[in-house]
Amino acid sequence: MHTDPDYSVAYVVIETDSDSAVKGYGLTFTVGRGTEIVVCAVKALSALVVGKTLKEIVSDFRGFYRLLSSDGQMRWIGPEKGVIQLAIAAILNAVWDLWARVEGKPLWKLLVDMDPAKLVSCIDFRYITDALTEQEALDILVKAKTGQKNREEQMLKEGYPAYTTSCAWLGYSDQQLTQLCSDALAQGWTKFKVKVGADLQDDIRRCSLIRKMIGPNNTLMIDANQRWDVNEAITWVTKLAEFHPLWIEEPTSPDDILGHASISKALAPLGIGVATGEQCHNRVMFKQFLQASALQFVQIDSCRVGSVNENLAIILMAAKFNVPVCPHAGGVGLCELVQHLILFDYISVSASLNNRMCEYVDHLHEHFKSPTIIRNAQYMPPKDPGYSCEMLEDSVQKHLYPQGEVWRAIEQQGKQ
């Protein structure tokens, strides 16, 4: 579906005039053209941010979220969806990074240590109280306090389960698939995702190859990246059922809630769930997906919805509906960010690892000051203060559009 991606980010830095001159770093992921539109939206929203104190923001974080998401004029180009929501995500990711740095904690630890009532006060419950009330959210968090310290120690020791998407992209030769899969198995990976949807016979061949390599006891998932209509998805996935995939990811339009429900119902007898969420606009859509039993795996994204604030609402709704959260990651920085959210989910909300895992793609981590650490196919909890958003200054300057040396080199090649 996204055939020529040029992985990019809109990168936000919030500067302060505090004695320590601490900064907050945030981003939202894009795939190339259009990033400049997100940057325009960030600049348009900046007037609502500049001049505020961190204390002022976090003392009424719900109000600040609503200030950005419900501006009387800019709301018209949303509301809470598309470019404006991506911009809000980048800004709020920077605010959360700043807050965690000031507290001297990694973001996951800031959330885990936060008083449940304070945490709930960061969430905008507008439009979702028919699925989750403030009191229900508070009750979930209070109940999960039991065993929380043990789970935190477990994560620090063992890490959070990850799955790999790096082995089976469309276009890889059988030799490349075999080599990558063999390498991953040797490194301890047990959960593998295969991209599908371009050609059925090719999918059957590739899924057969991967299943034979990983064996019957390791986990296989398939991802169509929105390629099919509803009935086509049901027919196609039914023909791949012999390979026992745990889920089919993004089988159709990310906006088609009832379509996903139909697919879920049709595939349930085959033991195949539906996973989606990486391009789900906001908490309201997740609410409807959950109410309609349209997904069996919630795939939050750290940059698609309204940052931590909105993801907290989604994580808590998923807990109420007893649907596992398995985040989307990869891209630029998505692994670095979303690891904090899934650690919080396990330690402070779901208290379960059953059918739960976080996506991992092994690329572009070298551009981050606190890159993701994977050990034995597990995300090891970050220890540096913040939200792991800060990029290396050298990487920023080299890749800054359009004046960075990478872009100047491309321009020179074009002239030649």
Side-chain angles (χ1 to χ4, degrees):
M1 186 61 73
H2 307 105
T3 54
D4 61 339
D6 187 359
Y7 281 13
S8 309
V9 292
Y11 188 55
V12 171
V13 181
I14 293 180
E15 298 179 345
T16 66
D17 59 4
S18 65
D19 292 338
S20 62
V22 64
K23 297 179 181 179
Y25 300 84
L27 57 84
T28 192
F29 169 63
T30 62
V31 291
R33 292 184 298 275
T35 313
E36 67 277 17
I37 303 173
V38 181
V39 171
C40 282
V42 169
K43 290 177 178 178
L45 289 163
S46 65
L48 303 174
V49 183
V50 175
K52 294 203 178 298
T53 66
L54 179 63
K55 183 178 180 181
E56 182 183 357
I57 291 170
V58 302
S59 63
D60 181 20
F61 217 150
R62 179 184 301 168
F64 184 70
Y65 173 87
R66 194 173 287 191
L67 175 71
L68 296 184
S69 65
S70 296
D71 175 83
Q73 294 181 15
M74 283 185 283
R75 184 180 186 277
W76 190 259
I77 58 172
E80 296 183 86
K81 65 172 76 76
V83 168
I84 198 73
Q85 197 73 344
L86 293 174
I88 289 169
I91 292 169
L92 289 179
N93 283 342
V95 173
W96 280 97
D97 180 67
L98 179 64
W99 189 8
R101 286 170 184 266
V102 168
E103 296 294 329
K105 298 177 180 181
L107 180 91
W108 68 266
K109 182 63 170 167
L110 175 73
L111 296 174
V112 165
D113 290 349
M114 196 178 296
D115 177 76
K118 175 65 175 176
L119 197 146
V120 167
S121 75
C122 297
I123 300 170
D124 188 351
F125 285 86
R126 182 161 61 175
Y127 309 134
I128 63 169
T129 54
D130 54 321
L132 180 76
T133 66
E134 286 191 50
Q135 187 59 52
E136 286 173 325
L138 188 60
D139 291 346
I140 291 168
L141 291 166
V142 170
K143 181 181 178 182
K145 283 291 181 184
T146 304
Q148 178 177 299
K149 191 64 180 173
N150 290 337
R151 291 191 296 276
E152 181 176 339
E153 291 173 357
Q154 177 194 359
M155 288 294 101
L156 288 168
K157 182 180 178 181
E158 301 174 7
Y160 192 90
Y163 72 86
T164 178
T165 306
S166 300
C167 298
W169 294 92
L170 289 172
Y172 282 3
S173 67
D174 286 2
Q175 182 180 358
Q176 196 171 7
L177 287 175
T178 301
Q179 185 61 56
L180 290 170
C181 202
S182 296
D183 293 345
L185 286 165
Q187 293 164 11
W189 292 93
T190 61
K191 304 173 181 68
F192 300 80
K193 189 164 78 179
V194 180
K195 297 287 185 175
V196 297
D199 178 271
L200 179 57
Q201 293 308 311
D202 186 55
D203 287 348
I204 291 171
R205 182 181 54 78
R206 293 164 65 254
C207 286
S208 176
L209 176 64
I210 296 291
R211 175 51 83 190
K212 285 175 183 174
M213 288 203 64
I214 69 176
N217 297 323
N218 285 331
T219 304
L220 177 72
M221 294 83 70
I222 55 177
D223 181 1
N225 285 111
Q226 311 165 25
R227 290 290 292 251
W228 303 315
D229 279 8
V230 172
N231 292 332
E232 184 183 15
I234 294 167
T235 301
W236 200 300
V237 176
T238 299
K239 292 178 180 177
L240 299 176
E242 63 179 295
F243 307 111
H244 305 290
L246 177 65
W247 75 53
I248 171 61
E249 182 174 331
E250 288 201 305
T252 191
S253 164
D255 297 345
D256 190 354
I257 296 164
L258 295 182
H260 278 82
S262 296
I263 296 167
S264 294
K265 185 176 180 181
L267 297 181
L270 301 174
I272 303 171
V274 169
T276 196
E278 70 180 79
Q279 291 204 333
C280 186
H281 293 304
N282 51 48
R283 67 196 179 282
V284 182
M285 285 191 67
F286 274 105
K287 176 192 76 171
Q288 294 177 27
F289 272 109
L290 290 164
Q291 288 174 326
S293 299
L295 46 64
Q296 287 70 54
F297 299 91
V298 168
Q299 294 184 307
I300 60 170
D301 182 281
S302 54
C303 298
R304 171 64 57 177
V305 299
S307 185
V308 178
N309 309 70
E310 196 161 32
N311 270 313
L312 291 174
I314 296 160
I315 287 168
L316 287 161
M317 282 193 291
K320 180 183 173 182
F321 284 83
N322 197 31
V323 176
V325 176
C326 299
H328 167 250
V332 183
L334 300 183
C335 297
E336 275 70 20
L337 273 65
V338 86
Q339 61 182 332
H340 292 268
L341 302 180
I342 199 60
L343 285 164
F344 163 75
D345 174 61
Y346 174 61
I347 296 168
S348 296
V349 182
S350 69
S352 172
L353 293 177
N354 185 40
N355 268 348
R356 294 167 187 267
M357 64 199 88
C358 186
E359 184 171 21
Y360 179 72
V361 182
D362 187 15
H363 61 197
L364 303 177
H365 304 291
E366 67 274 13
H367 297 292
F368 286 84
K369 193 169 183 179
S370 301
T372 300
I373 296 173
I374 296 289
R375 187 181 303 153
N376 299 322
Q378 309 267 112
Y379 275 92
M380 301 310 296
K383 295 183 178 179
D384 292 341
Y387 196 7
S388 306
C389 297
E390 184 180 0
M391 301 185 79
L392 296 172
E393 188 59 26
D394 185 57
S395 291
V396 172
Q397 293 306 319
K398 282 183 177 178
H399 294 86
L400 194 64
Y401 181 83
Q403 63 265 43
E405 68 176 67
V406 170
W407 292 103
R408 293 202 309 271
I410 292 171
E411 185 179 13
Q412 282 299 117
Q413 288 174 3
K415 289 179 180 178
Q416 292 171 0

